[in-house]
Structure formats: structure tokens, C-alpha cells
Amino acid sequence: MDVFACDVLVVGGGGAGLRAAIAVAETFPSLAVTVISKVYPMRSHTVSAEGGAAAVIKPGDSLDEHAYDTISGGDWLCDQDAVEAFVREAPAEMVQLEHWGCPWNREPDGHVAVRPFGGMKAQRTWFAADKTGFHLLHTLFQTSLKYEGIRRHDECFVTKLLVDDSRCQGVVAIELATGQIQAITAKAVILCTGGCGKVFPFTTNAAIKNGDGMSLAYRAGVALKDMEFVQYHPTGLPFTGILITEAARAEGGWLLNKDGYRYLQDYDLGTPELKPVLKSMELGPRDRLSQAFMKEQEKERTIKGPYGDYVHLDVRHLGEQVINTKIPFVRELCLKYAHVDPVKEMIPVRPVVHYMMGGIHTDIHGATPLPGLYAAGEAACVSINGANRLGSNSLTECLVFGARAGKAAAAFASGQSEPNPAVLAQAHDEQRRLEQQFLFKAGGTERIATLRQAMQEIMEQSAGIYRDASTLQQAEGKLQQLQERFADVALEDHSYTFNTELTAALELSYMLDLAQAIVGSALQRRESRGSHQRTDHPGRDDRQYLAHSLARRSGDGSPRIDYLPVKVTRWPPGERIYGR
């Protein structure tokens, strides 16, 4: 077994992870930082973000308005102290990214260009055409290379957190190329591993987003917060789930049903009046647009296709020049994956799972209740997104809270002694588990793909856009059965080199944990709020449920749900009327 040591270990090489590593290197240059990532950093899922990143920059906008839009868009489940810190620090992070070389789009006079985004009253979304995530991640990655204190372990898969003396002291990982088990000790660990969209069958998420870090924290005793809140993006391609960015609607795209009718005008989306442009139905919050699609489907106004019902996104009226200038990647994706040219044809779209509002329970500095363990980005729940994230807040969240977690973890690490050598015994135990349960195991009758497909079907049927007690209760039982069946999973590949079957099995085990947490949290929240819509409890209940759910892993592996009050500072809960 290879053993490495560092002061701060960052798990995940995407936007939040790289920003955290840079923050450590900037504020505590003497600390050794290691970034360990399942993929090469530029293949992290941040690269696929398209539309933009929100921060107040233009006259007529304000931090209070950004905060209010975020809080009301999140259906008042956001912790308002975290939101206030977020909107306050966002502009400086965006300017810093500009100084590091991010090529933001410009107005003719040279000022940074912004576009409108769903649920926001003002235009405050910075963008780099429709490849914002690519340019943001590229900028962070190149910036990280200039710090000698940052080392990387690329293509290494973390399987366990090392916890001793009630403190997180490192991880165990598999080097994918060789199968070699690595133990990396650290004085502080930051989980920046992204979301878990692959728990569902139709998602904009890459195949790597299996909730690795969330499950690692969950198994180490840290609660998962607000896991019932799963965001559907209203415009994904029906077959692949590939995202058609909200920028397409921000530039003026229309959603049309089978009759060519802009059906959103029939729904009370709570869409704010945009300044200085007119109200746009297509720029309502994502939860409501996805719910409106389901209502259209009930009324048989959607279009039947081989991969389910869909509607059309029409951008033809924007013209070829605007499409090629402002949303060129949309055209590229449509041509490659749907064989549709949006300059001449309408784009088939349907709601697909996009983002987890929930995640690892952290405080405003990214610290979890387990000393030495921090989290940031989509893997974490701080919570600024509440029951429904506003588009373009997520990239900025990676920057703001990646930096916050990096600084907090560095400060913690600087005051700690070296990790206890006894944790290496845990690493050897983990190596034996991987070999006995997977690599050297003989027999087994269950197939990974069969179990994964069954899990995804259960989640789509029970924890989709609309839910009820009966289907959620059935899902609990079915998921427990899948957990039991997983113990008999069969692996045909017993080699060490690039054993993708082993990683697929481990990822499935993580996803089953998270599927149970999502369903358990959804069953206990007997109200409708944001992306969590209970047909048997259609109203919002602030008296009982103005609170974060906390899912903790019990002895038998099932989640135990508790609640934590939402932090309200300046904006008392208001009415948020749903589509009629």
C-alpha cells in the first residue's frame, strides 16, 4: 500500500475543489495541498455548465435584490445568513476570475455583459458564450498550476474516509490505472465531489456524478441535509438528458406544446418583472417550469416520442447570428445529439434531473460536524439553494464556498498535530474489504447494471417531480431489497488495471445510500415546497417544515430523519403561488 501525507486534502478537481485548493495556497502558503480526483480535473462536471454565473455588477441591481431572489426562489428554505455572505462575496470572486483570465463576454463599450436568468428580477448572470463552465474551470485549473504547494493525484477513486479520535484524518483511494490502494493522511479533508444525478435515469449529469463524497460523509456519521429537494431542469434532450442551457431561454427562446402554443402563459409561475426587459414566461424558476410540463402532459398537450413525452424549445426567431454568437454550443449539441439545427428547426426538450439542492450538512464556512471534514459545491448543503436553486447561482457558489471552505480547512489544519499513524490500520482494513467483497469474491448472482436500472426506475417513479406517501413507502421497501441484493453482486473482472467494473460497483453502493436518503427525507416532509411536490400534501407548511431535514445513517443502513430550523435574518417567509 502506498502512503502519502499532506496538510489539506481536497477530494474533487472541479470548480469548488480547485477554488478551495487555491484558497489554501494563497492564505497559508506553507501548507501542503493535495487534490485527488476521480478524473483529470478538466473532465470534472463543472466543465459542462453552460449558461453563466450570477453576481451583482450592473447599476440598478443590488445585493439585497440578489439575496431576495435567491431566498424566495428557494421557497424560503435557504439559510439567510449564508445567502447574505454569498451575494456579498460573489462579485469579488467573479472579478478575481476575470483577473485570472476568464474570458467573460463584453458589451460593445467593454463592460462585462450579463444576461437574464430564471427567477431573477435583474440581469446579473455573467457568461462566456454558452461554455461558461468550461472557461471557468480552465481558468481555475491553469491558476492552480502556479502554486508549488498544490499536488495532484489524478484518476484516483476515494472509497473511505479515515476517522480517528473523532477527527477526519485522510482517505483511502484506488489508483485507477494500477489498482494500487493508496492511503493519504491529512490534517483536514474537503469534499468537493459534486452531485448524484445518476441516481435517476434521465439526467444532465455526467456518468461520474454518483454522489461519492456525499456517501463517504454519510457513512462517516455526517448528516445529509435537504436530500428530498431534487431539481429538474425543464430543457434536456429526451434521449440523452443532455442539457439545453437556460441561456437559450434567456436570449428569448419559447417553450411550445404540441399545438405550437406558449403554454406557460396559462400558469402562475411567479415570474418576476425583469429589469430593464419585460416579463418572460420562460424565465420562471425551474421547479415551476418542470411542474408546468407535467400539467401539460396530464392535459395531453405534449408530444409523444420514443423516449417519453416532450415539448419544443423554439429559438428560430433569434436568427443565426445571435444563435452562433450567444448560444453556439446549443447549436452544436442539437446537431450532434438530436440531428436538429435550431436555426431552422425546433428543439425537442423534456424535464431531466439536473441538480441536488441537498448534500453534506455544513456551516457557513464549509465545516461539517465532524472535525477536520469540510465540503463545498454541489456535494455540500450550506444552504443557499433551499428548495429550488436559481439558475447561475451554482457556479458562483463553487467559487464563494470553495474559497470559504479552503480558508477554514487551512486554518484548522495549521493548528493540528500530524495524523495518528493508527489510521493506517483502517486503510489496511479497507483494502481487505475491497479485495474480499469485490476483487477476490467468487460467485455472486446479481448484475451491477440490473440493480442500477432497478434503482433508477424506482427513483423516477417515486421521487420525481410529483410524489405521494404510497409510492415513497413502496420505494423504501424496494430500495432496502436492492441493498440486500447488492451484497450478492457479481464481478467478472478481477484484475487491478483500470477495473471499471469495480468502480461501477462502488459507485452503485454510494447511489443506493443516497437513493434511500432522498426517499426517506421526501416521505417525512409532508408538505409541498419548491422542487418537493407532494400530491397528498399540496400546501406549504411553514409551521412544521420551515426546517432542514437531516438524514443520518442508522445501524441497519437506513436513514433516520431529524430537522434543523432554517436561519431567517431579514426576509420573513412570503407566499409563493404555484401553477394553476
Side-chain angles (χ1 to χ4, degrees):
M1 175 184 292
D2 292 332
V3 179
F4 303 93
C6 63
D7 295 308
V8 179
L9 176 64
V10 180
V11 183
L18 291 177
R19 185 64 189 93
I22 293 168
V24 176
E26 285 185 325
T27 54
F28 288 82
S30 62
L31 295 181
V33 186
T34 295
V35 177
I36 184 169
S37 178
K38 186 163 65 172
V39 295
Y40 188 72
M42 277 305 298
R43 295 189 65 203
S44 299
H45 193 62
T46 304
V47 79
S48 68
E50 299 171 28
V56 172
I57 188 67
K58 295 295 186 182
D61 196 7
S62 72
L63 300 182
D64 280 0
E65 287 188 85
H66 190 184
Y68 182 80
D69 288 349
T70 299
I71 293 162
S72 60
D75 221 347
W76 275 272
L77 200 72
C78 310
D79 283 332
Q80 295 182 15
D81 59 339
V83 173
E84 290 188 78
F86 167 67
V87 301
R88 183 175 63 248
E89 296 172 19
E93 284 292 330
M94 302 294 281
V95 171
Q96 178 64 78
L97 211 64
E98 157 83 4
H99 292 168
W100 285 337
C102 190
W104 300 117
N105 269 49
R106 299 283 179 174
E107 302 288 3
D109 64 2
H111 286 90
V112 170
V114 291
R115 59 171 40 133
F117 240 65
M120 296 194 183
K121 290 188 290 291
Q123 298 188 50
R124 63 172 68 98
T125 298
W126 305 41
F127 62 99
D130 56 354
K131 291 187 177 181
T132 307
F134 171 85
H135 292 295
L136 182 148
L137 186 61
H138 207 130
T139 300
L140 290 172
F141 181 55
Q142 288 186 322
T143 301
S144 73
L145 298 178
K146 73 179 184 180
Y147 295 99
E148 293 183 1
I150 298 177
R151 303 292 177 88
R152 296 205 324 272
H153 288 228
D154 296 338
E155 298 185 331
C156 293
F157 185 32
V158 175
T159 66
K160 181 181 176 61
L161 296 179
L162 298 175
V163 180
D164 188 65
D165 194 26
S166 299
R167 177 164 67 93
C168 186
Q169 300 191 33
V171 305
V172 179
I174 303 171
E175 185 178 51
L176 297 178
T178 64
Q180 180 69 34
I181 303 297
Q182 300 179 347
I184 306 177
T185 61
K187 299 174 183 176
V189 175
I190 311 173
L191 296 173
C192 303
T193 51
C196 59
K198 296 302 288 184
V199 170
F200 291 81
F202 292 101
T203 175
T204 64
N205 290 188
I208 60 174
K209 292 191 70 175
N210 311 103
D212 306 353
M214 293 181 187
S215 182
L216 290 171
Y218 186 54
R219 294 178 181 186
V222 178
L224 298 179
K225 185 163 64 183
D226 293 342
M227 290 298 288
E228 63 268 41
F229 296 103
V230 179
Q231 182 171 82
Y232 276 72
H233 196 291
T235 55
L237 292 178
F239 170 53
T240 61
I242 287 173
L243 173 68
I244 300 301
T245 174
E246 196 162 310
R249 287 174 282 125
E251 296 299 333
W254 301 332
L255 284 171
L256 308 176
N257 64 16
K258 70 175 186 179
D259 301 317
Y261 175 68
R262 286 181 75 184
Y263 60 88
L264 292 175
Q265 61 190 291
D266 292 348
Y267 298 88
D268 183 356
L269 302 171
T271 312
E273 295 290 341
L274 296 168
K275 302 184 304 182
V277 299
L278 297 175
K279 180 176 178 179
S280 173
M281 296 173 291
E282 281 75 11
L283 288 180
R286 291 172 177 175
D287 57 342
R288 292 184 176 172
L289 265 63
S290 297
Q291 292 155 23
F293 173 92
M294 296 300 291
K295 297 297 184 184
E296 287 295 292
Q297 188 176 41
E298 290 175 8
K299 297 170 184 174
E300 298 185 349
R301 295 178 184 170
T302 53
I303 304 160
K304 303 294 182 182
Y307 306 103
D309 285 25
Y310 65 92
V311 292
H312 279 132
L313 174 62
D314 191 0
V315 297
R316 294 175 297 176
H317 54 282
L318 301 181
E320 186 169 8
Q321 182 177 357
V322 170
I323 291 171
N324 287 340
T325 302
K326 296 292 186 68
I327 49 172
F329 195 45
V330 166
R331 189 179 189 187
E332 181 181 337
L333 290 172
C334 290
L335 287 167
K336 285 185 176 180
Y337 296 101
H339 307 295
V340 167
D341 185 351
V343 171
K344 305 172 184 176
E345 303 165 274
M346 293 188 290
I347 308 167
V349 293
R350 58 159 285 175
V352 291
V353 168
H354 182 59
Y355 188 88
M356 296 298 300
M357 272 69 75
I360 302 164
H361 174 39
T362 75
D363 66 13
I364 198 170
H365 302 292
T368 75
L370 177 63
L373 182 64
Y374 298 77
E378 191 180 353
C381 181
V382 61
S383 151
I384 68 160
N385 297 311
N388 172 65
R389 176 178 70 82
L390 292 191
S392 74
N393 268 351
S394 59
L395 285 180
T396 321
E397 179 186 5
C398 287
L399 299 172
V400 170
F401 290 100
R404 277 181 161 251
K407 293 172 185 176
F412 178 88
S414 66
Q416 298 299 312
S417 58
E418 293 297 324
N420 189 339
V423 298
L424 295 180
Q426 295 181 33
H428 288 289
D429 288 343
E430 176 66 359
Q431 182 174 19
R432 283 190 289 272
R433 181 186 78 89
L434 294 172
E435 291 174 344
Q436 293 171 10
Q437 188 174 345
F438 298 106
L439 284 172
F440 298 160
K441 178 183 175 183
T445 60
E446 296 288 353
R447 308 291 299 181
I448 296 169
T450 301
L451 296 179
R452 183 173 56 228
Q453 182 178 359
M455 173 196 67
Q456 291 174 335
E457 289 176 354
I458 291 167
M459 297 304 290
E460 181 81 355
Q461 293 164 5
S462 67
I465 295 172
Y466 286 100
R467 301 133 178 218
D468 62 58
S470 175
T471 55
L472 288 168
Q473 287 169 347
Q474 292 175 31
E476 277 193 319
K478 291 177 181 178
L479 289 171
Q480 184 58 42
Q481 291 174 5
L482 290 183
Q483 285 278 27
E484 294 167 3
R485 290 171 60 186
F486 179 79
D488 193 35
V489 72
L491 267 68
E492 296 180 358
D493 187 352
H494 299 284
S495 66
Y496 285 89
T497 303
F498 286 114
N499 191 332
T500 56
E501 191 176 29
L502 173 61
T503 56
L506 293 171
E507 288 170 338
L508 176 59
S509 72
Y510 294 153
M511 288 191 285
L512 287 170
D513 282 351
L514 302 178
Q516 287 185 301
I518 292 168
V519 167
S521 300
L523 180 59
Q524 293 303 314
R525 184 176 289 275
R526 299 178 181 91
E527 66 158 356
S528 290
R529 184 187 299 268
S531 64
H532 172 71
Q533 292 294 299
R534 286 282 296 264
T535 56
D536 50 347
H537 296 281
R540 198 180 81 193
D541 185 353
D542 288 341
R543 186 177 64 84
Q544 291 194 67
Y545 293 108
L546 189 64
H548 302 294
S549 64
L550 296 176
R552 293 183 172 88
R553 196 168 189 249
S554 59
D556 64 359
S558 62
R560 185 183 76 253
I561 311 300
D562 299 309
Y563 289 93
L564 178 72
V566 169
K567 294 177 183 176
V568 177
T569 59
R570 298 166 52 199
W571 294 278
E575 189 62 30
R576 192 170 184 249
I577 301 170
Y578 285 82
R580 54 179 179 268

